[in-house]
Amino acid sequence: MEIMAIILAAGKGTRMKSTTHKVLHPVCGKPMIGHILDQLEEVNVQRLVTVVGHEADKVKEYVGERSEFVVQEQLLGTGHAVKQVEPLLGQQTGLTIVVNSDMPLLTAASIQSMLHHHVCCHAAATVLTAIVDDPTGYGRIVRDHNGNVEKIVEQKDCTPSETEIKEINTGIFCFDNEKLFAALKELKNNNKQNEYYLTDVMEIMRNRGESIQAFTLQNKNEAQGVNDRVQLAEVERLMRKGIITKHMVNGVTIIDPSSVYIDQDVVIGQDTLLYPNTYLYGASVIGEGCTIGPNTEIKDSVIGKHVEIKQSTIAGANIGNDTVVGPFAYIRPGTELASKAQVGRFVEVKNTYIGEGSKLPHLSYVGDAQIGKGVNIGCGVITANYDGVNKHRTTIEDEAFIGSNSNLIAPIHIGKGAYVVAGSTCTKDVKEEEMAIARARQTNKEGYAKKYKKRASVKKEK
Ligand code: UD1
Ligand code: CA
């Protein structure tokens, strides 16, 4: 049977008080609607339509090829939103899942269970429900004396006794597609908000003698919708806890789970150890047996095996096996470290390849450079890559030695095994095995220190 899905994402999200569309607010590094898309893709939905309205272009841009779209020009309610999909799905037969786009904790497993229940009961509609302690703001599931679902009543339309009901509408449904579009034709907006409520479809179907079902979530956290930033933080907390637990179960040691933040798609190898205040963001992949942190931020980077990273920031980089980074290194996009390389204390590296076993142990800036194998970059070395207009490259061949506090004025090429003596300012290429000395020669003047001090103290007395 064909399975289709409709994501409702036209709403304004007024309660977020934001210039960013609600569904584009990230939870654990990914926009809310991205989480929903991931789960629907896992369910193998064959056709997916997203209803957009407010800030439609931005939502479309993020969702891209993953969905078809319809525009809801006027936001007249969730039922009205689903109705806009009629030109695309109205003639189809099969099952249609409808999801709100503001429930990032919903899992594919729960959607599957709801589908299973729906099919087993030969239902026309199944609503996913949850039993919660505080149902404020949610639609209530009203059941008859036999326990069968009668209707869903929005908070604003509840009688005092309906307000007491703790079983709520999560906003997730499964429908027989043809019966859904037939029922939508009968929707009215005679309610407190003058909206066309999707939830009223349940009562319409029941009045037609159809079977309408409720399937209750086992984990009520999945029902947590995000309408404001307090709920956004709550959802973030719950998802983060789940991510951290997953990694620990998979063999990652996390010394203080409360101070570690990991985005949803980050991959971490077994026996890696995360110290407190570690932040792993975006599409980062961390290998096995690494030690990371404390106070470390890694974004969109690939870290090999057995890497040690302390108190450092890394973004858009590829860090090879058995390397050592930090403390206090700043590795910027486009940087690649081959195995056994070392980027140490107070070193900034940008858009640079560092060959196997090469070392930048302390206090350097290296940008737009290509560094071979076994190179030693002394303390305080700077690649002067920017002339105020253009960026220029520095190339340092294998086994070269760059003495402390040298400036390499790019573009420049330092040959294999060459030696740049400490304190040089090199403006010319250095050939293989050459030694470059680019500093003023020192002169020592006998007795001058004593004379100088005497003169200075006479001046002071005056
Ligand atoms: C809705 C449900 C409520 C449920 C709750 C779960 C209705 C009438 N109410 O209420 O029973 O408990 O979700 O979180 O369905 N949207 C559109 N077009 C519109 C209006 C809304 O696309 O014209 C979208 C929104 O972008 C959002 C979703 O529909 O993704 C739900 O809208 P929202 O305003 O958040 O509904 P709730 O009041 O939370
Ligand atoms: Ca909502």
Side-chain angles (χ1 to χ4, degrees), residues 312-328:
S312 292
T313 296
I314 300 177
N318 198 330
I319 309 292
N321 298 339
D322 304 299
T323 51
V324 177
V325 174
F328 310 109

Side-chain angles (χ1 to χ4, degrees), residues 35-45 107-109 111-112:
H35 290 287
I36 296 285
L37 287 164
D38 287 352
Q39 300 309 311
L40 288 173
E41 283 163 9
E42 211 176 310
V43 173
N44 277 325
V45 166
T107 62
I111 301 173
Q112 294 278 20

Side-chain angles (χ1 to χ4, degrees), residues 206-269:
R206 183 178 152 109
N207 292 340
R208 290 179 166 194
E210 301 286 358
S211 159
I212 59 167
Q213 292 287 323
F215 180 77
T216 307
L217 276 176
Q218 289 201 323
N219 177 4
K220 65 175 186 228
N221 287 342
E222 287 184 41
Q224 180 67 58
V226 177
N227 295 314
D228 58 33
R229 300 201 200 214
V230 176
Q231 289 172 326
L232 181 68
E234 178 61 7
V235 159
E236 173 94 23
R237 183 184 73 81
L238 292 166
M239 189 179 290
R240 183 161 83 86
K241 195 166 172 232
I243 292 169
I244 299 259
T245 304
K246 171 188 82 181
H247 289 296
M248 293 193 292
V249 168
N250 288 346
V252 176
T253 299
I254 301 179
I255 291 180
D256 175 18
S258 70
S259 74
V260 167
Y261 295 76
I262 306 174
D263 279 354
Q264 210 203 22
D265 294 337
V266 172
V267 176
I268 312 177

